Amino acid sequence: MLAAMLINSVSIYIASRILSGVELKNFWSAIWVALALGLVNIFIKPIISLLALPLTIVTFGLFALVINALMIMLVDQFIDSFKIKNFGWAVAFSVIV
């Protein structure tokens, strides 16, 4: 689990360096973002995914990208050292990560 968290932190850090619409202060912030994103994906994402299942089926799974972007924007609200400029950057960030 620790290795998965470290790999996720590295991917978050690299994605923030690639995308100009994503701001991350340092690698420690990437660790906090990975932790918060993991918690959001454990507790909130299953509920949202279940509620949005009909829409996900109709869009052949593409609505899952929207749900991922919303989870990233939710983490953006909690972590001060992590900023996403808009929804489009959140979608791009979720695709890269």
Side-chain angles (χ1 to χ4, degrees):
M1 192 161 103
L2 189 59
M5 177 78 89
L6 185 63
I7 291 170
N8 199 14
S9 299
V10 169
S11 69
I12 287 170
Y13 185 75
I14 290 171
S16 71
R17 295 296 171 225
I18 292 172
L19 299 172
S20 62
V22 179
E23 296 176 15
L24 189 65
K25 283 190 178 180
N26 52 27
F27 187 72
W28 289 108
S29 299
I31 293 173
W32 284 110
V33 169
L35 180 65
L37 195 57
L39 291 174
V40 165
N41 284 339
I42 288 171
F43 293 112
I44 298 173
K45 187 177 177 181
I47 297 167
I48 302 297
S49 295
L50 184 65
L51 292 174
L53 185 62
L55 191 55
T56 305
I57 291 171
V58 169
T59 61
F60 299 111
L62 290 177
F63 195 70
L65 289 173
V66 173
I67 294 171
N68 285 339
L70 290 174
M71 297 301 111
I72 290 170
M73 292 184 80
L74 181 64
V75 169
D76 173 34
Q77 297 298 315
F78 293 125
I79 311 275
D80 291 333
S81 60
F82 177 62
K83 297 294 174 206
I84 302 279
K85 287 190 179 179
N86 57 31
F87 183 76
W89 287 114
V91 171
F93 185 78
S94 71
V95 167
I96 289 176
V97 170

